[in-house]
Amino acid sequence: TAATVSWDAVDGALQYLVYIRRRTFEDNWTMFRTEENRLVLTGLSANAIYNMQVRTICGSDTSAITGKTIQTPNMPRGETPSIYTVRANQGRFFDTGGQAGGYSDNEHYVYRIIPPDGGRVDLRFTSFITEEELDKLTIYDGLNLSRSPNLGTFSGANSPGNILSTGNGLTLVFESDNRTTAAGWTAFWRSADG
């Protein structure tokens, strides 16, 4: 998915620094430099919320950062899901609405957790609620969906609880239908052996 973002031009601007990251999934910002007051962003996930910040460079002077939120359009069901791979020894896993909101309709993504220290993944859900039977989170013990054991498919208030992988990775697949959403989930994970 691609999006064209723009902002008000600043007199005397030599360049703009544009920072973008997907809300709730990415801790690090990706930076772009442009001389125009618009930018085409490619490789974005469908039906996702991104935080964007812009800083103006005028000679040796820079402006304060201004920001806004953008949302990409829904992806038609049946298309290839977005894939996120996180390589860290600990982290948090929220639905796309983050801590404060629920997920959206028509989501389909794959989330892989791989601790770089080689440890097993200890994943703990502290809250979980989706639309019963229609918005589902499936968890696989490994990184290959066709060969990894399915640890369960969860929906409604049926929380995954605590999950411990047998190897160095977990894969989570979430799909929501085109109507009715819920609060989603909050989970934390760490490398169990690191």
Side-chain angles (χ1 to χ4, degrees), residues 113-138:
I113 302 171
I114 308 169
D117 68 4
R120 295 173 297 159
V121 179
D122 180 9
L123 175 66
R124 296 170 184 255
F125 284 81
T126 57
S127 67
F128 186 90
I129 184 122
T130 66
E131 182 186 11
E132 183 88 31
E133 297 297 321
L134 297 172
D135 298 345
K136 302 173 186 178
L137 179 68
T138 304

PDB file of all heavy atoms in Angstrom, residues 113-138:
ATOM      1  N   ILE A 113       7.873 -13.249  16.179  1.00  0.00           N
ATOM      2  CA  ILE A 113       8.764 -12.830  17.265  1.00  0.00           C
ATOM      3  C   ILE A 113       9.968 -13.769  17.259  1.00  0.00           C
ATOM      4  O   ILE A 113       9.809 -14.989  17.376  1.00  0.00           O
ATOM      5  CB  ILE A 113       8.055 -12.906  18.630  1.00  0.00           C
ATOM      6  CG1 ILE A 113       6.790 -12.028  18.636  1.00  0.00           C
ATOM      7  CG2 ILE A 113       9.009 -12.510  19.748  1.00  0.00           C
ATOM      8  CD1 ILE A 113       5.919 -12.214  19.863  1.00  0.00           C
ATOM      9  N   ILE A 114      11.170 -13.180  17.134  1.00  0.00           N
ATOM     10  CA  ILE A 114      12.406 -13.969  17.090  1.00  0.00           C
ATOM     11  C   ILE A 114      13.435 -13.321  18.018  1.00  0.00           C
ATOM     12  O   ILE A 114      14.050 -12.316  17.654  1.00  0.00           O
ATOM     13  CB  ILE A 114      12.996 -14.038  15.664  1.00  0.00           C
ATOM     14  CG1 ILE A 114      11.933 -14.487  14.665  1.00  0.00           C
ATOM     15  CG2 ILE A 114      14.212 -14.947  15.624  1.00  0.00           C
ATOM     16  CD1 ILE A 114      12.356 -14.317  13.218  1.00  0.00           C
ATOM     17  N   PRO A 115      13.649 -13.841  19.221  1.00  0.00           N
ATOM     18  CA  PRO A 115      14.686 -13.275  20.088  1.00  0.00           C
ATOM     19  C   PRO A 115      16.083 -13.513  19.492  1.00  0.00           C
ATOM     20  O   PRO A 115      16.426 -14.650  19.176  1.00  0.00           O
ATOM     21  CB  PRO A 115      14.521 -14.032  21.402  1.00  0.00           C
ATOM     22  CG  PRO A 115      13.123 -14.564  21.366  1.00  0.00           C
ATOM     23  CD  PRO A 115      12.857 -14.851  19.914  1.00  0.00           C
ATOM     24  N   PRO A 116      16.890 -12.469  19.324  1.00  0.00           N
ATOM     25  CA  PRO A 116      18.216 -12.646  18.741  1.00  0.00           C
ATOM     26  C   PRO A 116      19.184 -13.430  19.623  1.00  0.00           C
ATOM     27  O   PRO A 116      20.196 -13.927  19.144  1.00  0.00           O
ATOM     28  CB  PRO A 116      18.715 -11.219  18.510  1.00  0.00           C
ATOM     29  CG  PRO A 116      17.870 -10.354  19.357  1.00  0.00           C
ATOM     30  CD  PRO A 116      16.579 -11.066  19.576  1.00  0.00           C
ATOM     31  N   ASP A 117      18.862 -13.564  20.929  1.00  0.00           N
ATOM     32  CA  ASP A 117      19.758 -14.326  21.798  1.00  0.00           C
ATOM     33  C   ASP A 117      19.516 -15.834  21.682  1.00  0.00           C
ATOM     34  O   ASP A 117      20.162 -16.625  22.366  1.00  0.00           O
ATOM     35  CB  ASP A 117      19.643 -13.863  23.249  1.00  0.00           C
ATOM     36  CG  ASP A 117      18.292 -14.193  23.896  1.00  0.00           C
ATOM     37  OD1 ASP A 117      17.441 -14.849  23.249  1.00  0.00           O
ATOM     38  OD2 ASP A 117      18.085 -13.776  25.048  1.00  0.00           O
ATOM     39  N   GLY A 118      18.591 -16.230  20.801  1.00  0.00           N
ATOM     40  CA  GLY A 118      18.347 -17.658  20.579  1.00  0.00           C
ATOM     41  C   GLY A 118      17.381 -18.291  21.562  1.00  0.00           C
ATOM     42  O   GLY A 118      17.137 -19.492  21.516  1.00  0.00           O
ATOM     43  N   GLY A 119      16.817 -17.507  22.454  1.00  0.00           N
ATOM     44  CA  GLY A 119      15.933 -18.050  23.479  1.00  0.00           C
ATOM     45  C   GLY A 119      14.536 -18.369  22.987  1.00  0.00           C
ATOM     46  O   GLY A 119      14.107 -17.923  21.919  1.00  0.00           O
ATOM     47  N   ARG A 120      13.831 -19.155  23.792  1.00  0.00           N
ATOM     48  CA  ARG A 120      12.423 -19.428  23.522  1.00  0.00           C
ATOM     49  C   ARG A 120      11.613 -18.169  23.815  1.00  0.00           C
ATOM     50  O   ARG A 120      12.058 -17.313  24.575  1.00  0.00           O
ATOM     51  CB  ARG A 120      11.928 -20.593  24.390  1.00  0.00           C
ATOM     52  CG  ARG A 120      12.608 -21.917  24.052  1.00  0.00           C
ATOM     53  CD  ARG A 120      12.218 -23.001  25.028  1.00  0.00           C
ATOM     54  NE  ARG A 120      12.685 -22.626  26.372  1.00  0.00           N
ATOM     55  CZ  ARG A 120      12.193 -23.107  27.498  1.00  0.00           C
ATOM     56  NH1 ARG A 120      11.220 -23.998  27.478  1.00  0.00           N
ATOM     57  NH2 ARG A 120      12.670 -22.729  28.669  1.00  0.00           N
ATOM     58  N   VAL A 121      10.419 -18.072  23.241  1.00  0.00           N
ATOM     59  CA  VAL A 121       9.565 -16.900  23.450  1.00  0.00           C
ATOM     60  C   VAL A 121       8.553 -17.193  24.556  1.00  0.00           C
ATOM     61  O   VAL A 121       7.800 -18.162  24.472  1.00  0.00           O
ATOM     62  CB  VAL A 121       8.815 -16.516  22.154  1.00  0.00           C
ATOM     63  CG1 VAL A 121       7.922 -15.310  22.400  1.00  0.00           C
ATOM     64  CG2 VAL A 121       9.798 -16.251  21.022  1.00  0.00           C
ATOM     65  N   ASP A 122       8.557 -16.358  25.583  1.00  0.00           N
ATOM     66  CA  ASP A 122       7.590 -16.427  26.679  1.00  0.00           C
ATOM     67  C   ASP A 122       6.612 -15.269  26.460  1.00  0.00           C
ATOM     68  O   ASP A 122       6.945 -14.108  26.680  1.00  0.00           O
ATOM     69  CB  ASP A 122       8.318 -16.288  28.013  1.00  0.00           C
ATOM     70  CG  ASP A 122       7.387 -16.350  29.217  1.00  0.00           C
ATOM     71  OD1 ASP A 122       6.192 -16.666  29.047  1.00  0.00           O
ATOM     72  OD2 ASP A 122       7.869 -16.074  30.329  1.00  0.00           O
ATOM     73  N   LEU A 123       5.403 -15.593  25.972  1.00  0.00           N
ATOM     74  CA  LEU A 123       4.400 -14.605  25.610  1.00  0.00           C
ATOM     75  C   LEU A 123       3.250 -14.680  26.610  1.00  0.00           C
ATOM     76  O   LEU A 123       2.709 -15.761  26.864  1.00  0.00           O
ATOM     77  CB  LEU A 123       3.883 -14.880  24.190  1.00  0.00           C
ATOM     78  CG  LEU A 123       2.740 -14.028  23.668  1.00  0.00           C
ATOM     79  CD1 LEU A 123       3.172 -12.566  23.500  1.00  0.00           C
ATOM     80  CD2 LEU A 123       2.258 -14.584  22.323  1.00  0.00           C
ATOM     81  N   ARG A 124       2.887 -13.526  27.202  1.00  0.00           N
ATOM     82  CA  ARG A 124       1.847 -13.494  28.239  1.00  0.00           C
ATOM     83  C   ARG A 124       0.790 -12.443  27.893  1.00  0.00           C
ATOM     84  O   ARG A 124       1.106 -11.255  27.808  1.00  0.00           O
ATOM     85  CB  ARG A 124       2.461 -13.187  29.593  1.00  0.00           C
ATOM     86  CG  ARG A 124       3.424 -14.279  30.029  1.00  0.00           C
ATOM     87  CD  ARG A 124       4.222 -13.882  31.250  1.00  0.00           C
ATOM     88  NE  ARG A 124       5.176 -14.933  31.544  1.00  0.00           N
ATOM     89  CZ  ARG A 124       5.044 -15.796  32.531  1.00  0.00           C
ATOM     90  NH1 ARG A 124       4.008 -15.726  33.332  1.00  0.00           N
ATOM     91  NH2 ARG A 124       5.954 -16.728  32.717  1.00  0.00           N
ATOM     92  N   PHE A 125      -0.438 -12.899  27.716  1.00  0.00           N
ATOM     93  CA  PHE A 125      -1.557 -12.006  27.446  1.00  0.00           C
ATOM     94  C   PHE A 125      -2.160 -11.540  28.770  1.00  0.00           C
ATOM     95  O   PHE A 125      -2.494 -12.361  29.616  1.00  0.00           O
ATOM     96  CB  PHE A 125      -2.626 -12.720  26.607  1.00  0.00           C
ATOM     97  CG  PHE A 125      -2.240 -12.862  25.169  1.00  0.00           C
ATOM     98  CD1 PHE A 125      -1.385 -13.878  24.765  1.00  0.00           C
ATOM     99  CD2 PHE A 125      -2.715 -11.975  24.218  1.00  0.00           C
ATOM    100  CE1 PHE A 125      -1.015 -14.010  23.439  1.00  0.00           C
ATOM    101  CE2 PHE A 125      -2.345 -12.093  22.894  1.00  0.00           C
ATOM    102  CZ  PHE A 125      -1.495 -13.118  22.506  1.00  0.00           C
ATOM    103  N   THR A 126      -2.300 -10.217  28.921  1.00  0.00           N
ATOM    104  CA  THR A 126      -2.916  -9.676  30.123  1.00  0.00           C
ATOM    105  C   THR A 126      -4.372  -9.301  29.887  1.00  0.00           C
ATOM    106  O   THR A 126      -5.133  -9.142  30.839  1.00  0.00           O
ATOM    107  CB  THR A 126      -2.129  -8.461  30.644  1.00  0.00           C
ATOM    108  OG1 THR A 126      -2.053  -7.485  29.614  1.00  0.00           O
ATOM    109  CG2 THR A 126      -0.719  -8.886  31.061  1.00  0.00           C
ATOM    110  N   SER A 127      -4.757  -9.132  28.632  1.00  0.00           N
ATOM    111  CA  SER A 127      -6.159  -8.923  28.276  1.00  0.00           C
ATOM    112  C   SER A 127      -6.366  -9.448  26.857  1.00  0.00           C
ATOM    113  O   SER A 127      -5.434  -9.462  26.048  1.00  0.00           O
ATOM    114  CB  SER A 127      -6.551  -7.444  28.372  1.00  0.00           C
ATOM    115  OG  SER A 127      -5.873  -6.684  27.395  1.00  0.00           O
ATOM    116  N   PHE A 128      -7.599  -9.900  26.577  1.00  0.00           N
ATOM    117  CA  PHE A 128      -7.902 -10.414  25.238  1.00  0.00           C
ATOM    118  C   PHE A 128      -9.414 -10.452  25.042  1.00  0.00           C
ATOM    119  O   PHE A 128     -10.131 -11.048  25.832  1.00  0.00           O
ATOM    120  CB  PHE A 128      -7.343 -11.833  25.061  1.00  0.00           C
ATOM    121  CG  PHE A 128      -7.502 -12.360  23.657  1.00  0.00           C
ATOM    122  CD1 PHE A 128      -6.518 -12.162  22.713  1.00  0.00           C
ATOM    123  CD2 PHE A 128      -8.652 -13.054  23.284  1.00  0.00           C
ATOM    124  CE1 PHE A 128      -6.665 -12.633  21.418  1.00  0.00           C
ATOM    125  CE2 PHE A 128      -8.809 -13.531  21.992  1.00  0.00           C
ATOM    126  CZ  PHE A 128      -7.812 -13.323  21.056  1.00  0.00           C
ATOM    127  N   ILE A 129      -9.875  -9.769  23.996  1.00  0.00           N
ATOM    128  CA  ILE A 129     -11.288  -9.877  23.598  1.00  0.00           C
ATOM    129  C   ILE A 129     -11.416  -9.478  22.126  1.00  0.00           C
ATOM    130  O   ILE A 129     -10.927  -8.429  21.717  1.00  0.00           O
ATOM    131  CB  ILE A 129     -12.234  -9.027  24.474  1.00  0.00           C
ATOM    132  CG1 ILE A 129     -13.674  -9.258  24.066  1.00  0.00           C
ATOM    133  CG2 ILE A 129     -11.936  -7.575  24.424  1.00  0.00           C
ATOM    134  CD1 ILE A 129     -14.540  -9.741  25.170  1.00  0.00           C
ATOM    135  N   THR A 130     -12.002 -10.370  21.337  1.00  0.00           N
ATOM    136  CA  THR A 130     -12.277 -10.107  19.925  1.00  0.00           C
ATOM    137  C   THR A 130     -13.723 -10.503  19.647  1.00  0.00           C
ATOM    138  O   THR A 130     -14.396 -11.076  20.504  1.00  0.00           O
ATOM    139  CB  THR A 130     -11.335 -10.915  18.997  1.00  0.00           C
ATOM    140  OG1 THR A 130     -11.625 -12.308  19.150  1.00  0.00           O
ATOM    141  CG2 THR A 130      -9.865 -10.637  19.296  1.00  0.00           C
ATOM    142  N   GLU A 131     -14.170 -10.237  18.429  1.00  0.00           N
ATOM    143  CA  GLU A 131     -15.510 -10.677  18.051  1.00  0.00           C
ATOM    144  C   GLU A 131     -15.513 -12.207  18.018  1.00  0.00           C
ATOM    145  O   GLU A 131     -14.709 -12.823  17.309  1.00  0.00           O
ATOM    146  CB  GLU A 131     -15.899 -10.113  16.688  1.00  0.00           C
ATOM    147  CG  GLU A 131     -17.297 -10.500  16.262  1.00  0.00           C
ATOM    148  CD  GLU A 131     -17.646 -10.065  14.852  1.00  0.00           C
ATOM    149  OE1 GLU A 131     -16.749  -9.632  14.099  1.00  0.00           O
ATOM    150  OE2 GLU A 131     -18.830 -10.169  14.508  1.00  0.00           O
ATOM    151  N   GLU A 132     -16.392 -12.810  18.791  1.00  0.00           N
ATOM    152  CA  GLU A 132     -16.466 -14.270  18.944  1.00  0.00           C
ATOM    153  C   GLU A 132     -16.566 -14.980  17.589  1.00  0.00           C
ATOM    154  O   GLU A 132     -17.408 -14.628  16.767  1.00  0.00           O
ATOM    155  CB  GLU A 132     -17.693 -14.621  19.797  1.00  0.00           C
ATOM    156  CG  GLU A 132     -17.850 -16.084  20.090  1.00  0.00           C
ATOM    157  CD  GLU A 132     -17.117 -16.512  21.339  1.00  0.00           C
ATOM    158  OE1 GLU A 132     -16.990 -15.693  22.259  1.00  0.00           O
ATOM    159  OE2 GLU A 132     -16.684 -17.664  21.378  1.00  0.00           O
ATOM    160  N   GLU A 133     -15.670 -15.944  17.361  1.00  0.00           N
ATOM    161  CA  GLU A 133     -15.659 -16.830  16.193  1.00  0.00           C
ATOM    162  C   GLU A 133     -15.338 -16.160  14.865  1.00  0.00           C
ATOM    163  O   GLU A 133     -15.103 -16.842  13.882  1.00  0.00           O
ATOM    164  CB  GLU A 133     -16.997 -17.583  16.043  1.00  0.00           C
ATOM    165  CG  GLU A 133     -17.308 -18.509  17.193  1.00  0.00           C
ATOM    166  CD  GLU A 133     -16.289 -19.631  17.344  1.00  0.00           C
ATOM    167  OE1 GLU A 133     -15.826 -20.172  16.326  1.00  0.00           O
ATOM    168  OE2 GLU A 133     -15.953 -19.963  18.493  1.00  0.00           O
ATOM    169  N   LEU A 134     -15.319 -14.832  14.787  1.00  0.00           N
ATOM    170  CA  LEU A 134     -15.125 -14.166  13.495  1.00  0.00           C
ATOM    171  C   LEU A 134     -13.816 -13.395  13.398  1.00  0.00           C
ATOM    172  O   LEU A 134     -13.259 -13.263  12.317  1.00  0.00           O
ATOM    173  CB  LEU A 134     -16.306 -13.241  13.199  1.00  0.00           C
ATOM    174  CG  LEU A 134     -17.641 -13.974  13.056  1.00  0.00           C
ATOM    175  CD1 LEU A 134     -18.786 -12.989  12.956  1.00  0.00           C
ATOM    176  CD2 LEU A 134     -17.620 -14.921  11.870  1.00  0.00           C
ATOM    177  N   ASP A 135     -13.325 -12.872  14.492  1.00  0.00           N
ATOM    178  CA  ASP A 135     -12.034 -12.179  14.515  1.00  0.00           C
ATOM    179  C   ASP A 135     -11.097 -13.051  15.336  1.00  0.00           C
ATOM    180  O   ASP A 135     -11.273 -13.196  16.546  1.00  0.00           O
ATOM    181  CB  ASP A 135     -12.181 -10.791  15.141  1.00  0.00           C
ATOM    182  CG  ASP A 135     -13.126  -9.896  14.347  1.00  0.00           C
ATOM    183  OD1 ASP A 135     -13.439 -10.236  13.193  1.00  0.00           O
ATOM    184  OD2 ASP A 135     -13.546  -8.862  14.892  1.00  0.00           O
ATOM    185  N   LYS A 136     -10.096 -13.653  14.664  1.00  0.00           N
ATOM    186  CA  LYS A 136      -9.327 -14.737  15.278  1.00  0.00           C
ATOM    187  C   LYS A 136      -7.827 -14.474  15.280  1.00  0.00           C
ATOM    188  O   LYS A 136      -7.276 -13.979  14.305  1.00  0.00           O
ATOM    189  CB  LYS A 136      -9.581 -16.036  14.519  1.00  0.00           C
ATOM    190  CG  LYS A 136     -11.031 -16.432  14.482  1.00  0.00           C
ATOM    191  CD  LYS A 136     -11.237 -17.632  13.581  1.00  0.00           C
ATOM    192  CE  LYS A 136     -12.715 -17.941  13.431  1.00  0.00           C
ATOM    193  NZ  LYS A 136     -12.941 -19.053  12.525  1.00  0.00           N
ATOM    194  N   LEU A 137      -7.192 -14.870  16.375  1.00  0.00           N
ATOM    195  CA  LEU A 137      -5.745 -14.854  16.501  1.00  0.00           C
ATOM    196  C   LEU A 137      -5.282 -16.308  16.594  1.00  0.00           C
ATOM    197  O   LEU A 137      -5.696 -17.033  17.501  1.00  0.00           O
ATOM    198  CB  LEU A 137      -5.308 -14.080  17.754  1.00  0.00           C
ATOM    199  CG  LEU A 137      -3.800 -14.015  18.002  1.00  0.00           C
ATOM    200  CD1 LEU A 137      -3.106 -13.175  16.930  1.00  0.00           C
ATOM    201  CD2 LEU A 137      -3.519 -13.444  19.382  1.00  0.00           C
ATOM    202  N   THR A 138      -4.449 -16.718  15.638  1.00  0.00           N
ATOM    203  CA  THR A 138      -3.906 -18.075  15.636  1.00  0.00           C
ATOM    204  C   THR A 138      -2.421 -17.983  15.955  1.00  0.00           C
ATOM    205  O   THR A 138      -1.713 -17.137  15.406  1.00  0.00           O
ATOM    206  CB  THR A 138      -4.129 -18.753  14.271  1.00  0.00           C
ATOM    207  OG1 THR A 138      -5.528 -18.733  13.976  1.00  0.00           O
ATOM    208  CG2 THR A 138      -3.639 -20.187  14.284  1.00  0.00           C
TER     209      THR A 138
END
